[in-house]
């Protein structure tokens, strides 16, 4: 975690700027969906008198739910891509080499499509897993009735455990795809191999980091929420419906801006931790630290990505050997 803070200080504009752009996009879309929900009419107290009246009410509600779900899925995709891209300044920071915003995206330009493929693969797999789990729970409850809860609850707990286990095993896939220039499935296999016999350590680090980020975000957001409620009561205690809506909209925008700033810092920190875990695993398994020392001493490839060339050499299997080049030595 100390290494993550140092990396963020060395590349503050690059890492925080990229995370802020992502959070701004997500926050803007979330704000549009939230404002749409604020403008919804309340259901009639007497109930719905016709199907058309019910559809006029539930149509926007369904649209808002779909919008919120879409924003959540987009956040997952953008976060996966950003996690891979930010592995570049983290790897370069190991050699005390700063990375500019344009330089980072230039070095990662060829890895955007594999990262996008990985993001959609994880997204599709998560949705499929959730759908299958939901259908299975529905079948159990339909067949057994209330007694089915005795099976559904352990099934849900087991599903959570499986999700956490798989997530930890695949945590360094974006970094492997970017640094080692691997494809989607090769990156998945690489992450699965690197995390072997290190699951509990990686899980503990990610859990602690997630807890820290969540607590800090709540510490900042809760006073802001309480203050916004107090401001509404003080400045417009007897406001009309239009004034109340305007005040609510302004406070919502302020809350989204603050949330975007907090989310950007948290996202940059978490992605930096994941990338450093990847570098640590490669040092333990591949001797990457020796390669980094050589690059530090010789100053080779000052504008490259540390670990990228050595990965190519490690994966190269020139067989059969090219005539005239001598025996293959690896």
């Amino acid at each position: 975690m100390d290494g993550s803070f140092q990396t963020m200080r060395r590349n503050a504009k690059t890492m925080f700027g990229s995370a802020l752009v992502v959070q701004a996009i997500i926050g803007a879309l979330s704000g549009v969906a939230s404002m749409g929900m604020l403008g919804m009419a309340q259901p009639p107290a007497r109930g719905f008198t016709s199907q058309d009246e019910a559809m006029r009410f539930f149509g926007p509600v369904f649209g808002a739910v779909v919008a919120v779900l879409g924003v959540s899925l987009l956040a997952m995709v953008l976060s996966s891509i950003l996690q891979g891209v930010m592995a570049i300044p983290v790897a370069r920071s190991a050699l005390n080499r700063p990375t500019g915003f344009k330089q980072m995206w230039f070095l990662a330009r060829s890895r955007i499509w594999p990262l996008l493929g990985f993001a959609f693969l994880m997204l599709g797999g998560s949705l499929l897993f959730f759908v299958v789990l939901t259908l299975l729970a529905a079948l159990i409850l339909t067949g057994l009735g209330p007694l089915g809860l005795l099976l559904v609850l352990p099934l849900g707990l087991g599903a959570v455990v499986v999700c956490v286990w798989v997530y930890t095993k695949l945590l360094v896939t974006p970094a492997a795809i970017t640094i080692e220039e691997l494809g989607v499935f090769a990156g998945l296999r690489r992450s699965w191999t690197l995390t072997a016999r290190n699951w509990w350590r990686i899980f503990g680090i990610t859990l602690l980091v997630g807890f820290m980020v969540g607590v800090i975000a709540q510490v900042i957001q809760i006073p802001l929420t309480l203050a916004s409620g107090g401001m509404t009561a003080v400045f417009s205690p007897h406001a009309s419906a239009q004034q109340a809506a305007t005040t609510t909209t302004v406070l919502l925008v302020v809350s989204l801006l603050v949330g975007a700033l907090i989310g950007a810092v948290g996202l940059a920190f978490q992605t930096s931790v994941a990338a450093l875990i990847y570098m640590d695993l490669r040092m333990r398994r591949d001797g990457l630290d020796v390669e980094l020392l050589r690059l530090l001493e010789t100053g080779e490839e000052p504008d490259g990505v540390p670990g990228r060339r050595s990965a190519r050499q490690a994966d190269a299997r020139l067989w059969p050997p090219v005539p005239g080049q001598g025996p293959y030595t690896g």
Side-chain angles (χ1 to χ4, degrees), residues 276-330:
L276 281 175
I277 289 175
Y278 164 77
M279 298 293 290
D280 175 72
L281 293 174
R282 283 198 59 190
M283 289 178 187
R284 294 170 182 266
R285 287 183 170 271
D286 302 340
L288 180 61
D289 50 339
V290 178
E291 175 67 13
L292 294 178
L293 286 174
R294 188 188 66 80
L295 291 175
L296 188 62
E297 293 173 354
T298 61
E300 294 181 10
E301 300 181 359
D303 297 325
V305 181
R308 179 167 286 183
R309 190 184 67 170
S310 60
R312 288 179 177 177
Q313 291 176 347
D315 292 337
R317 293 294 181 265
L318 301 178
W319 188 263
V322 180
Q325 289 188 353
Y328 171 68
T329 60

Side-chain angles (χ1 to χ4, degrees), residues 163-172 191 195 199 202-203 206:
C163 290
V164 172
W165 181 70
V166 173
Y167 170 81
T168 305
K169 292 289 292 183
L170 302 180
L171 178 67
V172 299
S191 178
T195 54
W199 190 92
I202 298 172
F203 171 72
T206 53

Side-chain angles (χ1 to χ4, degrees), residues 22 67 98 119 139 143 160 217 224 242 282 288:
V22 171
L139 290 175
V160 172
L224 179 64
Q242 184 177 1
R282 283 198 59 190
L288 180 61

Side-chain angles (χ1 to χ4, degrees), residues 134-319:
T134 302
L135 292 177
L136 184 59
L139 290 175
I140 294 175
L141 293 175
T142 302
L144 299 179
L147 292 177
L149 291 174
L150 298 177
L151 293 177
V152 171
L153 294 178
L155 179 64
L157 181 60
V160 172
V161 172
V162 170
C163 290
V164 172
W165 181 70
V166 173
Y167 170 81
T168 305
K169 292 289 292 183
L170 302 180
L171 178 67
V172 299
T173 301
I177 291 175
T178 303
I179 301 298
E180 301 183 47
E181 296 185 314
L182 301 176
V184 176
F185 295 103
L188 293 172
R189 291 193 297 269
R190 180 65 164 157
S191 178
W192 202 273
T193 302
L194 287 174
T195 54
R197 297 189 298 274
N198 287 278
W199 190 92
W200 284 107
R201 186 170 64 92
I202 298 172
F203 171 72
I205 293 172
T206 53
L207 181 64
L208 178 59
V209 170
F211 178 77
M212 289 174 54
V213 172
V215 169
I216 293 174
Q218 291 299 318
V219 167
I220 298 176
Q221 287 280 17
I222 290 177
L224 179 64
T225 303
L226 296 176
S228 63
M231 290 173 60
T232 304
V234 171
F235 291 103
S236 55
H238 305 291
S240 62
Q242 184 177 1
Q243 292 175 335
T246 302
T247 304
T248 303
T249 301
V250 172
L251 294 176
L252 176 62
V253 172
V254 173
S255 177
L256 289 174
L257 290 175
V258 176
L261 292 174
I262 299 172
V265 175
L267 181 59
F269 179 61
Q270 289 177 301
T271 53
S272 178
V273 169
L276 281 175
I277 289 175
Y278 164 77
M279 298 293 290
D280 175 72
L281 293 174
R282 283 198 59 190
M283 289 178 187
R284 294 170 182 266
R285 287 183 170 271
D286 302 340
L288 180 61
D289 50 339
V290 178
E291 175 67 13
L292 294 178
L293 286 174
R294 188 188 66 80
L295 291 175
L296 188 62
E297 293 173 354
T298 61
E300 294 181 10
E301 300 181 359
D303 297 325
V305 181
R308 179 167 286 183
R309 190 184 67 170
S310 60
R312 288 179 177 177
Q313 291 176 347
D315 292 337
R317 293 294 181 265
L318 301 178
W319 188 263

